[in-house]
Amino acid sequence: MSSERTSEQDAHGRRAALFDVDGTLVDTNYLHTVTWWEAMRQAGHKVGMREIHHTIGMSSDKLMDRLLPEDRDRSGDKRISTAHKTLYAEYFARLPALDGAPDLLRTLADRGWYLVLASSASQDELAAMRATIGADEAIATVLSSDDVDEGKPAPDPVEQALEQAGVPARDAVFVGDTVWDVVACVKAGVRCIALQSGGIPPELLLDAGADEIYRDPADLLRHLDSSALGR
């Protein structure tokens, strides 16, 4: 974890901006959809890509529980998860950051926000995404799926991010792109800005409890002063 920005700012009065990464800062949701589809196909499961896409953002175990038959041989789940990781890793060197992602992080850090990346990704996946964003100097703390007991839509990643930032829920804003990000925030009592860059329809994000919706990081940056991160 990085702590470059932790020493100069008193935790009292600190504001924390918590960020999901997949689909929020880096354009990866459809890559995850295709690689999960292939991993499941290899294991003999026929699952539609639309259904897979709507589970992206969940932890791997919850994703498979939602998509695969309840009476399946669960001893094969680990092989499916490993196959997905292997297939997805082929894209590491060319993952695309979403428009405005690095500028948004740097602007918030310059305005005094304490930035936490709270991702459902593994450490190696998160390292690849951080490299493509290229704004590590703005990030104070990073959490991966390895740092929490239970992944989204459970509130654990959001609550752990709050603990790392040293702020109560009222002093934090989460930025995510999936229904599962929003649900986790609602459970943790944290305001959630949702981005449409993950491909989820805005009405589903609003129904889940999103406070605000923007197209992508660049759109949020353009409207930053009137957003929950600017007020």
Side-chain angles (χ1 to χ4, degrees):
M1 294 182 186
S2 171
S3 59
E4 292 92 337
R5 306 184 73 88
T6 60
S7 61
E8 296 181 0
Q9 189 176 24
D10 185 351
H12 298 290
R14 175 184 290 168
R15 302 174 300 167
L18 319 176
F19 279 86
D20 174 63
V21 185
D22 275 302
T24 301
L25 298 172
V26 185
D27 195 5
T28 57
N29 283 14
Y30 293 100
L31 296 177
H32 278 299
T33 298
V34 171
T35 51
W36 272 116
W37 174 84
E38 177 61 18
M40 292 177 186
R41 188 198 67 80
Q42 291 176 4
H45 297 289
K46 184 178 180 180
V47 184
M49 289 198 195
R50 181 182 184 277
E51 284 70 32
I52 296 172
H53 175 238
H54 281 261
T55 63
I56 301 303
M58 283 184 161
S59 58
S60 295
D61 56 339
K62 290 185 172 65
L63 180 150
M64 287 186 283
D65 281 345
R66 189 176 182 91
L67 293 172
L68 301 179
E70 188 175 353
D71 60 353
R72 71 188 182 278
D73 179 1
R74 293 173 183 269
S75 65
D77 286 5
K78 183 173 178 58
R79 290 194 299 274
I80 295 172
S81 180
T82 299
H84 161 255
K85 289 179 179 179
T86 301
L87 291 161
Y88 179 68
E90 296 178 6
Y91 295 99
F92 277 3
R94 54 189 190 277
L95 296 177
L98 284 157
D99 288 346
D103 291 336
L104 175 61
L105 297 182
R106 293 188 183 109
T107 298
L108 289 170
D110 288 344
R111 292 187 178 191
W113 286 85
Y114 185 97
L115 268 57
V116 181
L117 301 188
S119 174
S120 296
S122 62
Q123 289 185 357
D124 57 343
E125 292 172 0
L126 189 52
M129 290 190 289
R130 290 174 66 181
T132 198
I133 295 167
D136 269 5
E137 74 281 2
I139 300 165
T141 303
V142 176
L143 300 172
S144 72
S145 60
D146 302 320
D147 298 312
V148 296
D149 293 329
E150 189 174 358
K152 302 165 190 171
D156 299 37
V158 182
E159 292 173 346
Q160 182 69 9
L162 292 173
E163 182 177 338
Q164 290 294 322
V167 301
R170 66 177 180 273
D171 293 331
V173 178
F174 190 98
V175 183
D177 68 291
T178 70
V179 166
W180 318 116
D181 292 324
V182 180
V183 170
C185 288
V186 170
K187 292 177 179 178
V190 173
R191 291 170 293 170
C192 184
I193 293 175
L195 304 183
Q196 297 180 61
S197 44
I200 302 302
E203 58 270 20
L204 295 182
L205 298 168
L206 287 171
D207 287 346
D211 295 278
E212 301 173 7
I213 296 183
Y214 299 91
R215 179 177 175 84
D216 56 18
D219 187 37
L220 174 55
L221 182 57
R222 284 192 295 270
H223 297 91
L224 194 58
D225 288 341
S226 59
S227 76
L229 289 165
R231 294 192 294 270

